[in-house]
Amino acid sequence: MRWLRALGRWWPPALHWPSVRGRAVADAGPLLLAAAVVAVVTLLAGAVPPLLRATADDSVREAVRHAGGDGDVLVHARIELDDGPNGGRVRAPRLAEDVDDLRDRATDELGPGLRAALRPPVAAVTSPVLKITDGSVLRTFQLAYLAKGAGGGPHVTWTEGGPPRPTVSAADSHVEVPYGGSPWLVQVGLSEAAAAALDVRPGARLPLADDQGHIRKVQVSGIFRATDSADPAWRLAPSLLRPVSGADGVGTTRFGGLLSPDSLPDARLAFERDELQRTVWFTPDPGVLTWDSAEAISRKVVALKAASGSSGARDGSLKWETQLDGVLRNVRGQVGAASAQASVLLAGVLAAAVLVLLLAADLLVRRRAPALAAARQRGASLPDLGAELLLESAVVALTAAAAGLALARTVAPGASWGWAVPVVLAAAAAGPAFGTLAAARATRDRRVPANRSARRWVRHTVQLRRAALEAAVVIAAAAAFVALHQRGILPAASSGAAAGPGPGLDGGGALPASAPALCVLAGTLVLLRLLPAGTGLVLKQALRSRRPLAVFGAARAAATSARVLPLLVMVTAAALASFAFTLDATAGQGLADGAWRTVGADARLDVVPAATASTPELARRIAAAPGVRQAVAAQVTDSARVVADSLIVAPRLVIVDASAFRRLLGSTPLPDAPDLARLGATGHGDVPALVRSSDGGLRPGMRLQLLRDGGAPSIRLTAVGTAPAVGDADGVVLVDAAALAAAGMPSAPNTVWATGPGAARAVTASGASSDAAHAVLREDVLRARRAAPLTSGLLWLAWASAATLLALGLLGLALGSAASAPERWQTLTRLRTLGLRPRDTRWVAAGELLPPVMVAAVAGPLLGVALARLMLDSLALRLLTGQAGDPALVLPWWRLGLVTVALLVAVAVVVPIESALRRRRRLSEVLRVGGG
């Protein structure tokens, strides 16, 4: 009940408003400086989270847009059996309606969330790929039916003939035909390009047969022109619009025949009952996707795939196929990494800002110490003084924070106050706490113990308190470093997120994100312990010299070396700014290395399968162009079929001249591949190969089999070494072209790599001169990756954080100098009465300020580089740079030198300014007893 009685006796503090206003007017400069710090840091901390969320939305949309077919959601279902009562097959005239029902059923199972993120579906029925048996060239043919909705497929205009019609009368629409009967006739429409290439008119029969040689009777009903060739529905069967080269292998050309709702039942009878494939195609709409909806969409897609029917089931169950969940998982991982990296940078800025605000509060209290002591002596209570100071600092902090958040809303789509809370609390609480403590110390009546042991006990108590605080900081830094090193910056996937979307915008947690800032604080505390010993040693050496200026400067430096906050601010800001500069340089070089790996050279020319015969000539033309150092042609085949350990894997197969490829790698920053020299004869008939695999499925020493199309015998390979990275493929099998040709498999080069200052121009010219080749330039890839929302945002934040930290470090130097200026210049002015010249006083002042500044200028960047070397591997920069592994550390020497030079130059600026401000003080004021 004691606390209830105390509460009953409690009275609200009595504020002395004239004192509040007077202190605010007298110390407007330090208060405005603290407000400026709060406003600037609040602007940065309030703008970054909304910008990151907007960037996350843009990244999700861009990832889905660039995913192409991997982002589509496909639904497969078998067509119901058409067995008749007499043992034959019954024609189904309502087959098109069954396709519409399938589309509607699949749309209903999507759910409202996923359905809103997808464009209207397109249903397709496709036939097996047939061969055109006219014996001229390798040409293939496929029948396709497209249905967008109740209005049918994409709109076309019939320039000749008309749409396909049924081949039976309405009375025979349900006719039953025997199994194994004569081929059933089906009508199709051809595009103008296909009709011209095949040289057919309406009414012509197409000579078609399947892989087993069975004849298929297909008649051309008409020739059409697409009303809108950009309609997304045509993407499902592009051969309906124009012949497609290489769709069925090297040197092939695929044509397409358009089916109508009337001819679709005839197509069902023209093929075996399981040969027509029904598919409903959903395409994501990137414009409606957001970061928040991506998680729900990904979980719904995973649930649909988990509930998908078996591929062997012969019923009409839906079978879902999509990589949309993987696309969203990857982009959410990248966004989570960027968010965590932004948290690391923001935590460093907040730590430095809080220290600067503590230093500003210390300066303010030093200026107010006489007034606070006088108010206390006149009878003001500590609660009243604390309330007055709290009111003043709260108004300043909240007003500045509101201004910072308002500015943040002008530069970002919103403002977040969560990151600004520590800064506002520090600005609001530091001044009242320091002021109340100073007033209490100024008027306390505690006597100094006369007993030496008692004085020693008091001194040890103070030392133990400081040691406990330092030990707490060191323990927190160690815990943060261990958490970051063991877990990484990304949060561990929860039990339910194994197939989920990945990490979120909250990054990897406060403890790992604060590891650099805490480790810098711990390192600075160690320097604080060493600085007094260093300045004391310098003072001893100076006392032995005959230079009085050195003695005076060393004495002042030794006297002020025990001050904690100035050195803490300068070292922390310098180290964290160096860390941000190093992160920016490492990420930038990682992007460049990732572009080199993706392209493989300064420029790459990709040739379509139908034009691979021209690749050697294109390679020779590129090699002869001015400024081209190396030009190497190779056959690059994705998803090749290779048997390894009785399992079929699908790596990227690279067939190239090994010696030429090694010379190419030697002319690029890409890692060398010494194992390329081992691609010779193995002695037992196998073709030597180099292998590379991210999951360890392909290892040196393995025996492999390269499977070939068309029933050709497989090629036996022996993995004799590790292959270099070729593009962004996870698995690579690289063989020498001559060795593989000797084994009976000649290569058909479809890729040309070129290096040199003129490579981009030569490859671009070759690609522009032929529609069958596409140029990929390293500079374009690098420029696109640097302009990506996440990457550009992180690099901008690294620069902004480094600049802010450097400014805070310089501000800390100025505040620390201003706090010690009265004592310093009082001593120097007294020394002037003994004959010290004004110029010499400036040298003594510089000697006092230089030791902590030099420690910060040298140890700060070194500490930041050391932390970058220890921690950057845990920040998952590879998710943003597009590399297989973490980028190598890059030290930006000129930026680190900028940090050092800026601090040293600041001393040369501060000392003359202080000297000019103190020049008006008369010597008689210093000599007066009690003056100063």
Side-chain angles (χ1 to χ4, degrees):
M1 303 295 293
R2 184 177 300 173
W3 65 274
L4 288 176
R5 290 194 297 270
L7 183 62
R9 294 193 301 268
W10 181 84
W11 293 93
L15 303 181
H16 189 250
W17 293 105
S19 297
V20 174
R21 289 192 296 271
R23 281 192 294 265
V25 172
D27 298 320
L31 291 176
L32 290 177
L33 182 62
V37 172
V38 173
V40 171
V41 176
T42 303
L43 168 62
L44 182 62
V48 167
L51 288 174
L52 181 61
R53 179 165 293 276
T55 302
D57 293 340
D58 294 338
S59 299
V60 170
R61 299 185 185 106
E62 184 179 8
V64 173
R65 189 178 295 112
H66 290 172
D70 291 339
D72 294 340
V73 180
L74 281 67
V75 186
H76 305 285
R78 291 180 179 269
I79 301 179
E80 289 76 4
L81 298 179
D82 56 358
D83 295 335
N86 300 320
R89 300 177 62 190
V90 177
R91 187 178 183 275
R94 295 183 176 272
L95 189 56
E97 297 179 8
D98 294 341
V99 175
D100 294 338
D101 292 340
L102 172 65
R103 183 185 60 244
D104 297 339
R105 184 155 55 100
T107 303
D108 292 339
E109 288 198 17
L110 291 176
L114 181 56
R115 185 164 54 245
L118 301 176
R119 291 193 174 102
V122 178
V125 180
T126 56
S127 73
V129 177
L130 306 175
K131 297 179 181 179
I132 300 179
T133 59
D134 58 1
S136 56
V137 292
L138 295 176
R139 297 189 292 187
T140 59
F141 195 87
Q142 186 180 39
L143 285 67
Y145 169 73
L146 302 178
K148 295 176 57 177
H155 297 292
V156 298
T157 300
W158 297 95
T159 58
E160 296 185 44
R165 307 297 303 170
T167 56
V168 295
S169 62
D172 297 330
S173 60
H174 292 82
V175 64
E176 180 177 355
V177 298
Y179 281 99
S182 58
W184 191 267
L185 179 65
V186 57
Q187 289 188 357
V188 297
L190 294 181
S191 66
E192 293 178 327
L198 295 175
D199 193 20
V200 295
R201 315 306 306 167
R205 294 282 184 94
L206 300 178
L208 303 176
D210 60 14
D211 291 337
Q212 287 74 35
H214 299 152
I215 302 299
R216 303 300 181 190
K217 296 174 62 176
V218 176
Q219 184 181 31
V220 178
S221 66
I223 300 173
F224 67 87
R225 179 188 304 136
T227 304
D228 181 11
S229 59
D231 192 319
W234 295 114
R235 190 165 63 91
L236 276 64
S239 60
L240 292 176
L241 288 180
R242 63 187 60 85
V244 177
S245 301
D248 301 301
V250 178
T252 63
T253 303
R254 178 187 292 184
F255 295 82
L258 180 65
L259 295 170
S260 67
D262 293 333
S263 64
L264 182 60
D266 296 321
R268 176 81 164 102
L269 295 179
F271 294 90
E272 301 296 331
R273 60 181 185 179
D274 290 332
E275 288 186 337
L276 291 185
Q277 299 293 327
R278 288 192 304 176
T279 304
V280 179
W281 219 289
F282 295 91
T283 303
D285 186 0
V288 302
L289 291 177
T290 63
W291 168 262
D292 294 326
S293 64
E295 180 176 0
I297 291 173
S298 180
R299 294 189 184 280
K300 180 61 178 179
V301 169
V302 171
L304 289 174
K305 292 169 68 174
S308 180
S310 172
S311 59
R314 304 190 65 84
D315 55 8
S317 60
L318 302 184
K319 304 169 184 63
W320 297 85
E321 176 189 352
T322 181
Q323 298 297 324
L324 180 60
D325 55 327
V327 172
L328 295 178
R329 188 184 308 115
N330 291 337
V331 70
R332 285 184 66 87
Q334 295 174 358
V335 172
S339 174
Q341 293 151 8
S343 301
V344 170
L345 296 172
L346 281 180
V349 173
L350 294 184
V354 168
L355 292 176
V356 168
L357 291 173
L358 294 178
L359 185 56
D362 179 67
L363 171 63
L364 186 62
V365 169
R366 286 174 181 268
R367 292 167 56 98
R368 290 178 170 180
L372 294 175
R376 179 74 172 134
Q377 291 168 356
R378 289 194 301 266
S381 65
L382 291 178
D384 293 343
L385 283 176
E388 292 175 0
L389 297 175
L390 180 61
L391 175 63
E392 176 190 77
S393 61
V395 170
V396 171
L398 294 177
T399 303
L405 292 177
L407 291 175
R409 292 185 67 88
T410 63
V411 299
S416 175
W417 55 269
W419 281 97
V421 171
V423 178
V424 177
L425 290 179
F434 289 172
T436 305
L437 185 59
R441 287 176 176 176
T443 57
R444 67 182 178 184
D445 57 356
R446 183 180 301 175
R447 298 179 181 273
V448 178
N451 189 347
R452 182 181 299 176
S453 62
R455 292 197 301 269
R456 187 185 304 114
W457 181 84
V458 173
R459 186 170 60 255
H460 288 173
T461 301
V462 174
Q463 293 174 352
L464 286 175
R465 289 173 180 171
R466 178 178 175 179
L469 181 60
E470 293 175 350
V473 174
V474 172
I475 292 173
F481 176 76
V482 170
L484 178 64
H485 184 69
Q486 290 185 349
R487 289 172 20 198
I489 198 64
L490 296 178
S494 60
S495 58
L505 281 172
D506 54 352
L511 186 61
S514 60
L518 290 175
C519 289
V520 167
L521 291 177
T524 308
L525 293 177
V526 175
L527 294 175
L528 279 168
R529 287 290 186 177
L530 298 177
L531 182 60
T535 54
L537 181 61
V538 172
L539 178 59
K540 289 181 180 180
Q541 297 296 326
L543 289 173
R544 298 176 183 177
S545 69
R546 296 182 179 180
R547 297 179 180 177
L549 296 183
V551 176
F552 296 150
R556 287 297 307 165
T560 58
S561 61
R563 296 193 60 200
V564 174
L565 282 176
L567 183 64
L568 199 60
V569 170
M570 289 187 291
V571 175
T572 301
L576 292 176
S578 302
F579 181 87
F581 279 137
T582 306
L583 186 148
D584 173 74
T586 302
Q589 186 59 43
L591 289 171
D593 294 342
W596 273 107
R597 170 173 172 164
T598 299
V599 180
D602 286 309
R604 188 185 73 228
L605 187 68
D606 296 330
V607 183
V608 300
T612 54
S614 62
T615 305
E617 177 59 29
L618 290 174
R620 286 190 292 269
R621 188 188 310 164
I622 293 173
V628 177
R629 296 195 183 101
Q630 298 286 335
V632 177
Q635 178 180 340
V636 180
T637 305
D638 289 327
S639 301
R641 295 182 301 157
V642 176
V643 179
D645 287 340
S646 302
L647 298 176
I648 297 180
V649 295
R652 173 172 290 179
L653 176 65
V654 181
I655 307 173
V656 64
D657 184 344
S659 59
F661 190 61
R662 186 174 185 182
R663 291 193 300 271
L664 176 79
L665 292 179
S667 63
T668 69
L670 293 171
D672 193 13
D675 289 343
L676 286 170
R678 307 178 63 182
L679 294 183
T682 60
H684 45 70
D686 291 357
V687 177
L690 303 182
V691 296
R692 184 186 188 92
S693 177
S694 59
D695 57 2
L698 297 172
R699 302 177 302 277
M702 298 181 65
R703 302 286 295 275
L704 310 173
Q705 279 187 311
L706 175 60
L707 303 181
R708 303 169 65 183
D709 296 331
S714 60
I715 304 295
R716 301 180 64 87
L717 308 176
T718 298
V720 297
T722 302
V726 179
D728 298 325
D730 293 331
V732 175
V733 174
L734 190 147
V735 294
D736 182 69
L740 195 64
M745 182 179 174
S747 62
N750 58 0
T751 300
V752 180
W753 290 295
T755 62
R761 182 171 56 256
V763 170
T764 302
S766 298
S769 63
S770 174
D771 295 336
H774 173 62
V776 181
L777 307 183
R778 180 183 55 83
E779 289 294 337
D780 292 346
V781 173
L782 178 59
R783 190 179 304 109
R785 291 184 177 180
R786 284 186 178 274
L790 285 178
T791 306
S792 60
L794 178 65
L795 297 180
W796 173 87
L797 181 59
W799 270 98
S801 300
T804 304
L805 287 165
L806 185 56
L808 291 175
L810 297 176
L811 181 58
L813 188 154
L815 291 175
S817 174
S820 61
E823 297 179 4
R824 177 170 56 253
W825 288 98
Q826 183 183 22
T827 301
L828 295 177
T829 307
R830 288 173 177 171
L831 289 175
R832 284 184 58 196
T833 64
L834 301 178
L836 197 66
R837 293 175 299 179
R839 184 180 61 182
D840 297 334
T841 60
R842 290 193 290 270
W843 282 108
V844 174
E848 176 185 343
L849 295 177
L850 269 179
V853 173
M854 290 185 65
V855 169
V858 176
L862 292 179
L863 185 57
V865 169
L867 291 178
R869 184 174 296 276
L870 293 174
M871 297 182 182
L872 282 188
D873 288 345
S874 302
L875 296 186
L877 288 176
R878 64 185 181 280
L879 296 179
L880 297 182
T881 59
Q883 297 173 276
D886 294 312
L889 182 68
V890 177
L891 299 181
W893 292 111
W894 71 269
R895 302 181 206 172
L896 301 179
L898 176 64
V899 175
T900 300
V901 171
L903 291 174
L904 296 177
V905 170
V907 175
V909 174
V910 167
V911 172
I913 292 176
E914 283 189 355
S915 178
L917 293 176
R918 303 285 174 172
R919 185 177 301 169
R920 297 179 180 180
R921 193 169 189 182
R922 298 178 181 178
L923 295 180
S924 58
E925 297 177 3
V926 181
L927 293 175
R928 186 180 301 121
V929 177

